[in-house]
């Protein structure tokens, strides 16, 4: 499909390639699922964070050297394709169908995180929090590589336009500065002043979805996010001393 399916309304041709198979091989297809692109942006962030945790625990320099190019490619994707560097948030609309269109429309508002039975916005707090953690982890990886004098081949990826080539050049200081901006953006855009807690996602129209997502609020607090006033507000809701009308 042209442009990876973006802007297309109909699949016109489908080709299945299985490579070399022994003569007489029979292939049976039960069904073909064509409706959804179920990729999660969290995976790249988790890769970076897990790489740092594994190295910090093991001190395995050969592991760090082998993983560094992979982590840098993942960070490029988060920063550029998913607009983390430009917006200070992960914008999942680069994935086909993850547009955050309001309502229940097949092929739209496709989930981008664990809560995969609910239509979700182009911005979700799980993806943004994972990105914030990945930025901190990547900064640690870069500092470790510099300290150890690790040098690997330059890393680049095909840009979001499918034509340009983007080279990795982030420093630890730049990653830490971006992490601070992402933290501030999360605390700003996902906060619901009417309920005194964080919502979970924001759709294409800019509407914040807040159904009382306990896990999201506790996860943010556990990771150290939230201003002092926000943290007190959330905890008063969690312990039941403050009730939110409509819950």
């Amino acid at each position: 499909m042209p442009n990876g399916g973006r802007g297309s309304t109909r699949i016109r041709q489908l080709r299945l390639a299985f490579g070399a198979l022994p003569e007489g091989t029979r292939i049976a297809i039960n069904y073909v699922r064509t409706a959804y692109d179920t990729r999660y942006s969290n995976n790249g962030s988790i890769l970076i964070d897990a790489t740092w945790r594994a190295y910090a625990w093991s001190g395995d320099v050969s592991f760090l050297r082998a993983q560094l190019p992979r982590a840098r490619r993942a960070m490029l994707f988060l920063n550029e394709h998913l607009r983390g560097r430009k917006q200070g948030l992960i914008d999942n609309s680069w994935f086909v169908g993850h547009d955050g269109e309001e309502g229940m429309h097949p092929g739209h508002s496709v989930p981008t995180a664990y809560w995969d039975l609910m239509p979700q916005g182009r911005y979700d707090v799980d993806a943004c929090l994972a990105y914030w953690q990945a930025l901190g982890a990547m900064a640690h990886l870069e500092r470790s590589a510099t300290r150890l004098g690790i040098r690997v081949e330059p890393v680049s990826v095909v840009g979001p336009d499918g034509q340009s080539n983007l080279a990795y050049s982030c420093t630890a200081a730049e990653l830490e500065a971006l992490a601070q901006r992402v933290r501030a953006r999360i605390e700003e855009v996902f906060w619901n002043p009417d309920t005194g807690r964080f919502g979970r996602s924001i759709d294409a129209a800019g509407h914040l979805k807040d159904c009382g997502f306990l896990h999201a609020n506790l996860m943010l607090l556990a990771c150290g996010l939230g201003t002092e006033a926000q943290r007190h507000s959330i905890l008063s809701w969690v312990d039941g001393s403050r009730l939110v009308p409509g819950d």
Side-chain angles (χ1 to χ4, degrees):
M1 292 187 293
N3 196 26
R6 294 172 183 80
S8 301
T9 58
R10 182 178 299 174
I11 296 176
R12 302 185 183 279
Q13 189 176 29
L14 186 66
R15 180 174 64 183
L16 304 179
F18 297 98
L21 296 174
E23 184 177 352
T25 299
R26 299 181 62 185
I27 298 173
I29 299 176
N30 292 329
Y31 66 93
V32 177
R33 186 188 300 275
T34 62
Y36 301 111
D37 176 346
T38 58
R39 287 176 292 177
Y40 289 0
S41 60
N42 296 24
N43 294 336
S45 297
I46 292 170
L47 170 68
I48 295 169
D49 189 56
T51 297
W52 162 243
R53 291 175 184 272
Y55 169 69
W57 177 78
S58 68
D60 188 337
V61 176
S62 62
F63 169 80
L64 175 59
R65 183 179 290 106
Q67 284 294 105
L68 196 58
R70 299 185 181 102
R72 286 174 173 173
R73 289 189 185 95
M75 184 54 68
L76 268 173
F77 181 75
L78 294 165
N79 282 346
E80 307 305 329
H81 296 70
L82 303 187
R83 306 181 181 94
R85 180 176 58 82
K86 181 177 293 185
Q87 299 189 16
L89 296 171
I90 289 297
D91 181 348
N92 288 298
S93 65
W94 186 84
F95 294 121
V96 177
H98 296 246
D99 47 18
E101 182 178 308
E102 193 168 12
M104 299 286 288
H105 305 292
H108 296 275
S109 291
V110 179
T112 54
Y114 176 76
W115 291 86
D116 55 4
L117 295 181
M118 304 175 65
Q120 294 177 24
R122 63 191 299 175
Y123 304 100
D124 74 72
V125 75
D126 298 78
C128 293
L129 177 59
Y131 176 51
W132 174 77
Q133 291 176 308
L135 287 166
M138 195 72 222
H140 285 305
L141 290 172
E142 294 296 350
R143 290 195 190 282
S144 297
T146 299
R147 176 174 54 82
L148 295 168
I150 294 177
R151 296 186 181 278
V152 295
E153 290 296 317
V155 164
S156 63
V157 299
V158 176
D161 59 4
Q163 298 178 354
S164 60
N165 192 272
L166 304 176
Y168 181 89
S169 62
C170 293
T171 66
E174 290 170 342
L175 292 163
E176 288 169 343
L178 180 53
Q180 289 301 314
R181 185 158 68 91
V182 170
R183 173 181 180 140
R185 288 282 284 153
I186 291 173
E187 293 172 347
E188 173 192 359
V189 304
F190 288 103
W191 183 253
N192 186 344
D194 296 328
T195 60
R197 64 194 179 200
F198 289 107
R200 207 210 154 277
S201 63
I202 302 171
D203 65 22
H207 300 142
L208 176 65
K209 305 300 182 181
D210 177 6
C211 300
F213 292 100
L214 179 62
H215 89 285
N217 282 269
L218 293 181
M219 188 165 56
L220 288 163
L221 295 191
C223 292
L225 276 74
T227 65
E228 184 175 356
Q230 288 173 337
R231 296 172 72 84
H232 282 297
S233 177
I234 292 168
L235 289 174
S236 68
W237 165 61
V238 171
D239 67 18
S241 61
R242 180 176 66 85
L243 300 180
V244 176
D247 275 0

